[in-house]
Amino acid sequence: MSTGRDPGLQPERTRLAWRRTLLTATVVTALAVRLASTGDPVGALIAGVAVVVWGALLMLCWPRATGTGPARTGGWTLPLVAFGTVGLALLGVLLALRGLW
């Protein structure tokens, strides 16, 4: 009986999940920027916040998504990523309901 750990495909599935998270954040941010292009000042504010959140998610998630460098797991990293992802998901729902496809 072997005592070694065989991670199997788990690291690859984890990287793919982080990539999907970043892709979703990118799409929602692009929709928010499209809203800002209509000239609406509220849309510009929403787009600015979305770009800042997207940048923070990119910085936090990139090591996990690519498998390069140490993944930041301590402290507030995971709660911040969760908060940013949920916020952008809600923004995406609002943009979809508004009809900005």
Side-chain angles (χ1 to χ4, degrees):
M1 187 168 183
S2 175
T3 60
R5 181 176 177 269
D6 180 19
L9 294 177
Q10 184 268 332
E12 182 179 3
R13 286 191 309 265
T14 300
R15 281 192 305 275
L16 290 172
W18 283 105
R19 287 179 186 171
R20 282 190 306 269
T21 300
L22 287 174
L23 179 62
T24 303
T26 302
V27 169
V28 170
T29 302
L31 287 173
V33 169
R34 182 177 173 195
L35 173 67
S37 69
T38 63
D40 183 18
V42 174
L45 178 64
I46 290 171
V49 170
V51 168
V52 168
V53 170
W54 176 79
L57 283 174
L58 187 64
M59 286 177 31
L60 292 172
C61 297
W62 190 255
R64 291 173 179 258
T66 60
T68 59
R72 302 175 194 160
T73 57
W76 289 94
T77 301
L78 292 178
L80 286 175
V81 169
F83 179 73
T85 303
V86 169
L88 285 177
L90 291 174
L91 178 61
V93 168
L94 291 174
L95 289 172
L97 290 175
R98 188 167 178 182
L100 292 176
W101 288 97

